[in-house]
């Protein structure tokens, strides 16, 4: 009797589908060239732990993900999760934007079944390639009962991270993924262990449903630095942004020359959301700036790229900055 779980592996590209000219090319290679079925076939050990089939949805570097692709991926995952012969899903993905895709799926999927996003930092052709073990571990987690109901997960480098928290922290090292509160668990020697649970609502507990989303409102990010000017704000407003994430210095600070610009942005009906380019910590409402007075919103502990995902989803529900603030604090 076959008790192995059925896991679908959806290929989207990235370095886990990459190939270099020689085995010493660990960081210079072409990403998104190896088909998902070939990636699976390169790890025959997987057939001992799960019945796996591959499905190629994209073949791209994850830097080329956009909202349309996020929606397409989310809808396909949702469809598969409804099938009784699917126990879990693995998505092979580039590492650059894994954190955005994982957070998105964590917020919009309506299933308790495990969904695991996985990538690699080195192409399969490199000495010390990390993709094979990462994929094996991802399938193990996606096929497990323990991973159910924990939201979308990212499995990389022996660690299981919450899609909400995880972020890429290094350009080339295999230990690049970090969560401010640590991983949820480990995978080692064919065994997974969870040590903590996500506290924020996810998947079945959210107000966002991928089956009901066909487009997302435009939200852009403006990075701040000494000498920052209004050019990018004006361009994004002119391009039709519904919200601008002000990726401020420190605690989402706003330079003196930008304060009137953000007031003007808001007066045009565009939401202003203060985030921090430090990438960690909480942006304090009415701290650096009088958000109540200006009708602005702050992120909680999310970096700008995660705040963008949440804001896009939030704006499908409300355009009231008070409600938007509640959502930014909730998820
Ligand atoms: N390690 C990687 O996967 C990087 C690649 N640029 C990607 O995100 O697709």
């Amino acid at each position: 009797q076959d008790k192995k779980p059925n896991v679908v592996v959806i290929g989207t590209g990235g370095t886990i589908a990459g190939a270099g000219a020689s085995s010493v090319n660990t960081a210079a290679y072409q990403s998104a060239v190896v088909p998902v079925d070939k990636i699976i076939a390169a790890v025959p050990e997987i057939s001992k732990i799960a019945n796996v089939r591959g499905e190629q949805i994209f073949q791209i570097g994850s830097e080329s993900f956009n909202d349309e692709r996020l929606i397409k991926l989310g809808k396909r995952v949702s469809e598969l999760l409804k099938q009784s012969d699917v126990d879990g899903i693995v998505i092979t993905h580039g590492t650059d934007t894994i954190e955005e895709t994982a957070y998105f799926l964590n917020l919009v999927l309506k299933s308790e079944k495990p969904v695991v996003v996985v990538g690699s930092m080195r192409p399969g052709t490199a000495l010390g390639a990390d993709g094979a073990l990462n994929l094996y571990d991802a399938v193990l987690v996606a096929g497990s009962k323990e991973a159910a109901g924990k939201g979308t997960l990212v499995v990389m480098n022996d660690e299981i991270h919450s899609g909400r928290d995880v972020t890429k922290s290094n350009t080339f090292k295999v230990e690049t993924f970090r969560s401010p509160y640590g991983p949820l668990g480990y995978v080692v020697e064919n065994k997974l262990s969870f040590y903590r649970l996500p506290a924020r609502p996810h998947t079945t507990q959210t107000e966002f449903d991928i089956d009901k989303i066909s487009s997302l409102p435009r939200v852009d990010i403006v990075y701040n630095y000494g000498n920052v000017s209004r050019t990018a704000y004006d361009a994004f407003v002119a391009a039709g942004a519904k919200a601008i994430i002000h990726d401020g210095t420190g605690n989402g600070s706003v330079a003196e020359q930008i304060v009137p610009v953000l007031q003007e942005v808001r007066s045009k009906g565009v939401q202003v959301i203060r985030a921090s380019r430090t990438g960690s910590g909480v942006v304090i409402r009415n701290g650096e700036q009088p958000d109540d007075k200006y009708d602005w919103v702050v992120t909680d502990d999310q970096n700008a790229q995660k705040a963008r995902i949440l804001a896009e989803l939030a704006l499908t529900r409300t355009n009231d900055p008070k409600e938007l603030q509640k959502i930014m604090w909730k998820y």
Side-chain angles (χ1 to χ4, degrees), residues 12-71:
T12 74
T15 298
I16 195 164
S22 93
S23 61
V24 292
N25 287 130
T26 54
Y29 54 85
Q30 225 191 324
S31 85
V33 287
V34 182
V36 68
D37 285 333
K38 236 181 130 180
I39 300 172
I40 298 167
V43 196
E45 295 84 351
I46 285 176
S47 64
K48 295 201 183 107
I49 55 166
N51 303 311
V52 164
R53 71 177 175 83
E55 203 176 289
Q56 192 84 49
I57 190 165
F58 314 121
Q59 188 62 293
I60 57 169
S62 73
E63 58 277 8
S64 301
F65 253 87
N66 54 23
D67 292 349
E68 233 167 77
R69 285 172 169 148
L70 270 185
I71 293 169

Side-chain angles (χ1 to χ4, degrees), residues 13-16 29 31 60-63 93-97 119-122 168:
T15 298
I16 195 164
Y29 54 85
S31 85
I60 57 169
S62 73
E63 58 277 8
H93 197 293
T95 55
D96 285 10
T97 63
S120 77
M121 288 303 287
R122 297 173 181 156
K168 188 175 183 179

Side-chain angles (χ1 to χ4, degrees), residues 129-186:
D130 53 332
L133 182 59
N134 285 348
L135 181 63
Y136 181 89
D137 289 348
V139 171
L140 189 72
V141 174
S144 75
K145 298 256 182 295
E146 297 96 306
K150 294 188 170 67
T152 302
L153 304 169
V154 171
V155 171
M156 291 266 308
N157 201 37
D158 311 325
E159 295 180 339
I160 309 168
H161 289 264
S162 164
R164 178 192 186 273
D165 297 332
V166 74
T167 191
K168 188 175 183 179
S169 67
N170 186 282
T171 56
F172 73 95
K173 286 161 71 170
V174 293
E175 61 269 43
T176 183
F177 283 98
R178 295 265 181 275
S179 294
Y181 317 105
L184 301 178
Y186 293 132

Side-chain angles (χ1 to χ4, degrees), residues 17-328:
S22 93
S23 61
V24 292
N25 287 130
T26 54
Y29 54 85
Q30 225 191 324
S31 85
V33 287
V34 182
V36 68
D37 285 333
K38 236 181 130 180
I39 300 172
I40 298 167
V43 196
E45 295 84 351
I46 285 176
S47 64
K48 295 201 183 107
I49 55 166
N51 303 311
V52 164
R53 71 177 175 83
E55 203 176 289
Q56 192 84 49
I57 190 165
F58 314 121
Q59 188 62 293
I60 57 169
S62 73
E63 58 277 8
S64 301
F65 253 87
N66 54 23
D67 292 349
E68 233 167 77
R69 285 172 169 148
L70 270 185
I71 293 169
K72 186 174 174 189
L73 175 65
K75 284 189 185 292
R76 181 60 188 142
V77 172
S78 169
E79 215 168 67
L80 287 166
L81 289 171
K82 286 179 196 143
Q83 287 179 208
S84 57
D85 62 346
V86 173
D87 298 307
I89 299 203
V90 169
I91 300 158
T92 59
H93 197 293
T95 55
D96 285 10
T97 63
I98 234 174
E99 62 201 87
E100 281 134 283
T101 298
Y103 190 35
F104 179 74
L105 296 176
N106 189 60
L107 290 167
V108 301
L109 295 175
K110 296 287 152 237
S111 171
E112 302 255 301
K113 291 180 187 175
V115 175
V116 177
V117 195
V118 66
S120 77
M121 288 303 287
R122 297 173 181 156
T125 47
L127 291 170
D130 53 332
L133 182 59
N134 285 348
L135 181 63
Y136 181 89
D137 289 348
V139 171
L140 189 72
V141 174
S144 75
K145 298 256 182 295
E146 297 96 306
K150 294 188 170 67
T152 302
L153 304 169
V154 171
V155 171
M156 291 266 308
N157 201 37
D158 311 325
E159 295 180 339
I160 309 168
H161 289 264
S162 164
R164 178 192 186 273
D165 297 332
V166 74
T167 191
K168 188 175 183 179
S169 67
N170 186 282
T171 56
F172 73 95
K173 286 161 71 170
V174 293
E175 61 269 43
T176 183
F177 283 98
R178 295 265 181 275
S179 294
Y181 317 105
L184 301 178
Y186 293 132
V187 191
V188 63
E189 284 285 324
N190 212 21
K191 186 177 177 299
L192 60 120
S193 310
F194 281 95
Y195 299 95
R196 58 178 86 235
L197 295 174
R200 296 301 177 100
H202 58 75
T203 54
T204 55
Q205 309 146 2
T206 77
E207 61 216 86
F208 316 114
D209 181 348
I210 189 63
D211 292 351
K212 296 184 183 125
I213 295 171
S214 51
S215 67
L216 289 166
R218 177 173 180 152
V219 176
D220 289 296
I221 300 171
V222 179
Y223 192 82
N224 273 247
Y225 45 90
N227 211 45
V228 68
S229 78
R230 64 178 300 152
T231 311
Y233 297 96
D234 289 338
F236 284 137
V237 170
K242 299 287 179 277
I244 289 183
I245 311 283
H246 165 86
D247 198 9
T249 54
N251 204 335
S253 307
V254 187
E256 56 189 5
Q257 71 275 19
I258 300 301
V259 172
V261 177
L262 287 184
Q263 287 176 288
E264 211 180 300
V265 168
R266 182 69 198 108
S267 74
K268 289 180 175 151
V270 179
Q271 304 287 349
V272 171
I273 304 172
R274 294 195 299 119
S276 170
R277 72 171 196 183
T278 65
S280 66
V282 173
V283 177
I284 311 294
R285 187 170 174 90
N286 298 320
E288 274 284 339
Q289 290 292 329
D291 298 292
D292 286 350
K293 185 174 148 200
Y294 295 154
D295 216 13
W296 295 347
V297 173
V298 294
T299 61
D300 190 346
D301 61 342
Q302 296 98 338
N303 62 29
Q305 58 271 30
K306 283 182 187 276
R308 189 189 75 89
I309 296 287
L310 179 55
E312 287 194 335
L313 289 170
L315 289 170
T316 65
R317 310 281 305 176
T318 181
N319 201 33
D320 174 352
K322 289 194 181 61
E323 291 304 309
L324 182 58
Q325 181 64 77
K326 281 188 203 157
I327 290 175
M328 298 310 288

